[in-house]
């Protein structure tokens, strides 16, 4: 099979969160299974840098990066405008058996849809939490865009990959055909080394016996960091703290102002982003991993990684790990302060046992090789 991935971000753009890790796992996994895999992506890396080289062979995958019109625009507003992408897609989309695109309301998704339609190439879509609609003016603009591009793309696609039942329902609501919608768990990324117990706590001056709540993700209002702090505030102090790991995506100053006492007392700490193996040191040293977004983002790679490290997990239903709560590996609750707080209290009361069950669940359901094999079956059936 000859596969082309079209995605705004790819390895090593880890600062853009889970999707680059997932698409790299798919691409490298399929290449290892003997398929020919190309990736068309942009040159994003982080706030101040772009990825080089523009063409390379990475883990058996041919990667071509198209330079964005503005790196700052990509970083701050997630507007990716890769120069030359559309013309290249229009020339070569017909050479592939399948085009696999991520997200739904980006220039890259529109370009992949148009090019694959022109050549009659099957299009597979991984929405990665991009399907929910908005309200107000933003919602009205989305509705117009959806009518012209997203709905036709989903109606045409023979493979719509959903992380959760909620995302599957959104595909159908936006015009996806029932026979095209298939569930596919996110794959766990490979770990370079085993976590070093105590390394994260030692680095940031957290006592070994202190109960540690961990958030890892973008510090953004949509992530519900303020909701999380409100929920756990009565638990903080007296040997319990909350550590925020991730990039400031525009909300940190507001949080520091609103919760000044907690930051001053170091009951809440912001330590910035961690990548590579260092983030697993953070997961392993935490008692409970917490992710409480307000918006539907579906399964979070960070929550899967935390569970893999044997850490108890508390999530709002907007970031569900299917089957986690039934397996006893954590809690998936409504985005309400009291409900979140009660789940955290329960998780802290039996963190080791809950964390062990979380690890068992995600290793069984989200193992990389098994997920890639399932994806391969879907693609070969097109």
């Amino acid at each position: 099979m000859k596969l082309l991935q079209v995605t705004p971000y790819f390895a090593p753009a880890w600062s853009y969160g889970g999707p680059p890790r997932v698409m790299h796992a798919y691409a490298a996994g399929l290449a290892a299974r003997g398929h020919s895999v190309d990736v068309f992506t942009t040159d994003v890396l982080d706030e101040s840098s772009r990825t080089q080289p523009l063409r390379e062979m990475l883990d058996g995958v041919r990667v071509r990066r198209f330079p964005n019109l503005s790196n700052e625009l990509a970083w701050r507003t997630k507007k990716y405008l890769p120069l030359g992408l559309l013309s290249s897609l229009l020339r070569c989309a017909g050479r592939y058996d399948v085009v696999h695109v991520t997200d739904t309301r980006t220039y890259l998704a529109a370009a992949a849809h148009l090019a694959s339609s022109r050549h009659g190439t099957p299009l597979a879509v991984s929405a990665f939490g991009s399907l929910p609609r908005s309200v107000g003016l933003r919602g009205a603009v989305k509705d117009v865009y959806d009518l012209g591009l997203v709905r036709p793309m989903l109606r045409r696609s023979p493979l719509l990959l959903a992380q959760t039942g909620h995302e599957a329902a959104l595909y159908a609501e936006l015009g996806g055909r029932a026979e095209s919608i298939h569930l596919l768990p996110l794959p766990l990324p490979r770990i370079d080394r085993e976590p070093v117990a105590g390394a994260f706590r030692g680095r940031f001056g957290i006592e070994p016996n202190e109960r540690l709540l961990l958030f890892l993700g973008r510090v953004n209002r949509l992530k519900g960091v303020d909701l999380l702090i409100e929920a756990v505030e009565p638990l903080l102090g007296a040997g319990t703290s909350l550590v925020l790991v991730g990039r400031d995506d525009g909300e940190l100053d507001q949080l520091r102002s609103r919760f000044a006492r907690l930051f001053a007392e170091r009951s809440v700490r912001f330590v910035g982003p961690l990548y590579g193996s260092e983030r697993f040191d953070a997961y392993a040293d935490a008692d409970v991993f917490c992710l409480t977004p307000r918006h539907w983002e579906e399964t979070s790679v960070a929550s899967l990684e935390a569970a893999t490290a044997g850490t108890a997990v508390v999530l709002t239903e907007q970031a569900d790990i299917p089957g986690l709560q039934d397996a006893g590996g954590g809690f998936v609750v409504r985005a309400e302060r009291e409900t979140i707080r009660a789940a955290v209290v329960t998780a802290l009361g039996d963190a080791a046992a809950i964390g062990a069950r979380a690890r068992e669940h995600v290793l069984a359901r989200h193992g990389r090789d098994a997920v890639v094999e399932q994806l391969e079956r879907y693609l070969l059936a097109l």
Side-chain angles (χ1 to χ4, degrees), residues 164 214-216 223 227-228 288-294 296-307 311-325 329-336 339-341 343-344 347 358 361-362 366:
T164 65
L214 177 70
F215 165 89
L216 190 148
K223 289 288 189 179
L227 174 62
L228 174 60
V288 181
F289 176 84
C290 306
L291 187 64
T292 58
R294 288 185 169 87
W296 290 93
E297 62 177 57
E298 313 306 338
T299 304
S300 157
V301 171
S303 64
L304 293 177
E305 292 176 340
T311 302
V313 176
V314 172
L315 310 168
T316 53
E317 56 194 0
Q318 288 83 355
D320 186 21
I321 297 178
L324 176 77
Q325 184 159 299
F331 301 91
V332 181
V333 300
R334 296 187 304 276
E336 301 170 352
T339 310
I340 295 168
R341 184 183 308 134
V344 171
H361 175 73
V362 299
H366 297 270

Side-chain angles (χ1 to χ4, degrees), residues 156-236:
R156 172 181 166 264
S157 172
L159 181 57
L160 303 172
L161 296 167
Q163 301 170 47
T164 65
H166 175 265
E167 190 164 64
L170 289 178
Y171 274 128
E173 183 181 314
L174 283 166
R177 291 170 289 150
E179 64 270 21
S180 300
I181 302 169
H182 295 277
L183 290 173
L184 182 70
L186 293 186
L188 293 168
R190 297 203 187 282
I191 304 172
D192 296 333
R193 61 164 172 79
E194 288 300 311
V196 178
F200 177 79
R201 288 175 179 261
R203 178 177 174 181
F204 295 104
I206 302 167
E207 294 297 326
N209 60 346
E210 189 171 345
R211 299 193 304 179
L212 174 58
L213 309 178
L214 177 70
F215 165 89
L216 190 148
R218 292 180 294 117
V219 181
N220 180 289
R221 185 181 183 281
L222 292 176
K223 289 288 189 179
V225 183
D226 59 331
L227 174 62
L228 174 60
I229 296 175
E230 289 176 357
V232 302
E233 183 174 3
L235 311 178
L236 300 179

Side-chain angles (χ1 to χ4, degrees), residues 306-313 327-330 350-363:
T308 304
T311 302
V313 176
D350 197 14
I354 294 172
R357 292 192 291 269
R359 175 179 168 82
E360 182 180 2
H361 175 73
V362 299
L363 288 178

Side-chain angles (χ1 to χ4, degrees), residues 90 113-121 156:
L90 289 171
H113 165 53
L114 294 172
S116 61
S117 296
R118 174 174 292 187
H119 289 277
T121 305
R156 172 181 166 264

